[in-house]
Amino acid sequence: MIKTPIKVIVRTRPTVEFAYKNININENTGHIAINIPKSAEQGFVNHQQEDWGFTFDKVLQNASQEVVFDICGKELIHSALGGYSGTVMAYGQTGAGKTFTMMGSQIDYKYRGMMPRCISLLFQEIEARYEQQITVGVSYLEIYNEMMYDLLAGGDQNTGLAIQEDNNGYVQVKGLTIKKCQTEEDAIAQLFEGETNRTISEHKLNKASSRSHCVFTVHLEIRSRVESAEKVIISKLNLVDLAGSERTKKTGSEGRTLLEAQFINKSLSFLEQVVVALSEKQRDHIPYRQSKLTNLLKDSIGGNSKTVMIANIWPEKHQLEETISTLKFAQRMMKVTNESSIRVNLDPHVLIKKYEKEIKDLRQELAMHDTLANRGRIQYEPYTPEQQYKQQQIAQQFLNGELEDIDIDSLRQVKELFFQFRNLYRNLVKDLENKNYIPRTEKEPDVSKKKSDQVKPVESVGMEENKHGFGLGKARKDAKPTTNIENLVNIPKDEFKQVDDKAQQEIRKESQITEANKESTIEKRIVNVDKQQAFSDFKNKEGSSINQSIIENINQLKEKKDNILILSEVSIQLKNSIESNKAIIAQKQQNKNQEEIAQGIIDEEEYGILKELKDLKKKLKQNQDTIRNLKSEINTIDQNIIQSKAALVQKFEEHFLKKYGLTLQDINNPLVNQKEEEYSINDPSEQDDVDQDALAYIRAKNKVTQLQKARKQEKMHK
């Protein structure tokens, strides 16, 4: 068991109205200082607090989604595969970016959030662990107005959902749908499916505000292919997107939205009470059962889990009070310590098969031992009814004196004979009771009578109570609104001075004469200027350094694109090798019987193929990383070429204007287009291929989108 404090990461929402005068953030030390000056309106005597200071494990300001995942989620994935359960939860005010942190944008793959990134890394690690058999299941639960909804079952309220706790203290939801997922695409599709069933609404601070708490859970069952297969390591990863705390005066919530806000604030208040109780060492009772949210997160807060909390803040001046409230809660959360341990279960089905095999082997060993001891063939199976009747006859004959000795073959026969003796004795006692032969009180024998006349009293072993029968008993037995807001800007009309018609006519005449003189002058100059030759001379003399830089960048661009083509061919070969190895493994799995599949048995050949498959995937990943880096370098070189071209044209325009008194716009010259064509590269590799890591994400999104369209059409037909 490992004691680990809850890790708290603060993430700021990017904003152009950052309150630099009030908030000071030090990312290196994780310290946040907030200052709110006293208001003069509150009078001379004012005890308002001005300064607050908070220190956390990490503060992320203007951080990308990838950086947030590397710091908050990557470690928990490895811990979950090692048997330790984990939790990532996002907390903060409404509009601070919690849902963006956890789910991200479904439109742009680059901005995907914590949930899809965790799924992607999880399946990458599973593919690399060929010595383990890992089963993945996902569930998606929503707590809306203190009612639980199964988002993978259509989002309808399920009365069968109930939070339970087993004997070992593990929390689970009875009746919750757990979907088994074989691939990354399946898991992300279930995530998107659940997202479409979430409850969202609009208010002044957030157009798509989450009106419920949602918990996406990844359930893992880990079995070893090398060691005993009945040992199952169970772990889970909870990804929690909490609804945002809000002040109704700021959000302007009304009607149903106001009721939702009341339930949200109430449940978050209960969550804070649990955190306060856990931070106090002398508290015996922790109020987990006050709400469904705290009861569900019992494992994550103060239980068996490694937990990371992301505190999202909105660092603007008019959000300072909510920011301080969020940071206070996050600081209390840092005082809570969890006790993490590996949960190991024994698979009953595998154990039964194992015990059956052991019994079969032991019986074979006993049969071999009997044969070597010249004991003949001894049966170890239970007696049949015919054999039991035969042993009963032998016992009766022995009691009647018809048999002096019984031949014993095995211990099984001894047990059966004792069982028959007991039955005969019980039947005899029952018969004597029915005939009233056994006296109620014992009498002293009459000594005067002869020995032959005396009746020997039957030694009583006690009266059997005649209790029959059996006991009887009784077994215990919503809507989502939207609103559009438009900002109307009144643009004042310009006021113009009215000019007399005569003055206007004179101005027009003068301007026409000036333009005509200018055009005639330009035409005379153009006749004597060779534009192409002037541009070539400029590139070779004044603009030679910029021109040389463009040529060098173009050569580098060609070289890197050639490298991408070579690496792409290598990637195709690696993918073909991976697919062929997967086909061989699949064929071997089909040839195995059910017992070998259940126990996860692999032979040396399959082990070698799995090891080769792991190496191929590693090479493919390195190859794709190299291609990705080359594409990034190509983008940089493209930008340099564009900037150099713009600088060259600008320099040439200055030179041309200074020497001839003309600009490039004054002449109809193909030079402007020529300078672009001169440096262009016709290369089919310029079209970027789709990132291989994004394929599963895109396919899952398209699959869910098509499924939703099909459902809408089906409803319309009905």
Side-chain angles (χ1 to χ4, degrees), residues 479-490:
K480 309 172 186 177
T482 57
T483 306
N484 292 328
I485 298 175
E486 296 181 356
N487 293 325
L488 301 178
V489 181
N490 295 323

Side-chain angles (χ1 to χ4, degrees), residues 2 18 50 60 108 158 242 266 432 438 616 633 652 658 700:
I2 303 174
F18 190 93
E50 291 185 271
L60 302 176
D108 193 344
N158 191 340
L242 298 175
K266 184 178 179 182
L432 292 175
I438 297 178
L616 288 171
E633 293 176 2
F652 179 65
K658 183 178 180 181

Side-chain angles (χ1 to χ4, degrees), residues 695-708:
L695 285 177
Y697 186 88
I698 296 170
R699 287 173 184 165
K701 179 61 180 173
N702 294 337
K703 181 179 178 181
V704 174
T705 304
Q706 293 174 2
L707 185 62
Q708 290 174 355

Side-chain angles (χ1 to χ4, degrees), residues 147 213 244 493 633:
M147 292 186 292
H213 310 295
K493 295 181 179 180
E633 293 176 2

Side-chain angles (χ1 to χ4, degrees), residues 378-393:
I378 299 176
Q379 297 292 332
Y380 294 96
E381 299 292 336
Y383 274 100
T384 62
E386 293 80 7
Q387 292 173 335
Q388 289 178 353
Y389 179 69
K390 184 178 180 180
Q391 295 300 321
Q392 184 181 2
Q393 288 181 335

